[in-house]
Amino acid sequence: TGCGDDDGKERDAWARRLCDRVGPQVKKIQQANAAIAKASEGEKSSKEVKETDSAAFGDISAAYAALAEAVRQAGEPPVDDGAKLHRDAVRELRSISASYRKLKETVDGLDTEDQGDFAKGLKKVAERLEKLGQSGDRALNTLQSGELGQAMAKQKGCQSPGASKGER
């Protein structure tokens, strides 16, 4: 003994450093996703849908970049394979940010004058978006497993706002 962190103080401190920065980014992602959903529901023009989606994808890209930076700045978590976990999470979050940036570029390039082409383009974007959402969940779920996940769950910034209401 004497070498370990048996009471989890180091993990808690690491989780606090990370989670203080995570909450605002997760909220931005949720708001952007809600804007995308709302734009696709109603009687919005193609131009309005394009503008909303473009702005939302830009916001999500920036939020994932900020999440990657938050994880990077938090440093290696004090757990087994902490260095690998840290490196992989930063890489994955940066990759997701880049993918959302590409989605934004794709949406920006859609022609709103031709409804058929616009609809086809949006369908392709929606398919890529679904896959991206799954990888975003994987990147964060890897960090939120085991003892590290328990430490993160105690931090307000890492608690899902919907989870207390039975959502998700």
Side-chain angles (χ1 to χ4, degrees), residues 108-127:
D108 288 345
L110 294 177
D111 179 9
T112 58
E113 299 301 315
D114 183 330
Q115 288 291 51
D117 282 349
F118 183 72
K120 285 180 197 172
L122 271 187
K123 187 171 193 252
K124 288 180 183 176
V125 166
E127 290 166 359

Side-chain angles (χ1 to χ4, degrees), residues 34-75:
I36 292 168
K38 188 174 180 182
S40 62
E41 285 174 356
E43 299 293 319
K44 305 277 187 202
S45 71
S46 297
K47 186 177 183 213
E48 289 173 305
V49 170
K50 178 179 175 174
E51 288 172 358
T52 299
D53 286 1
S54 175
F57 292 146
D59 290 347
I60 294 171
S61 175
Y64 273 107
L67 285 172
E69 184 60 14
V71 172
R72 188 193 69 74
Q73 288 182 0

Side-chain angles (χ1 to χ4, degrees), residues 74-90:
E76 294 176 11
V79 294
D80 292 341
D81 292 330
K84 181 183 182 330
L85 184 65
H86 183 255
R87 185 177 53 249
D88 290 351
V90 171

Side-chain angles (χ1 to χ4, degrees), residues 160-168:
S160 172
S164 61
K165 297 176 186 143
E167 298 171 13
R168 207 162 170 198

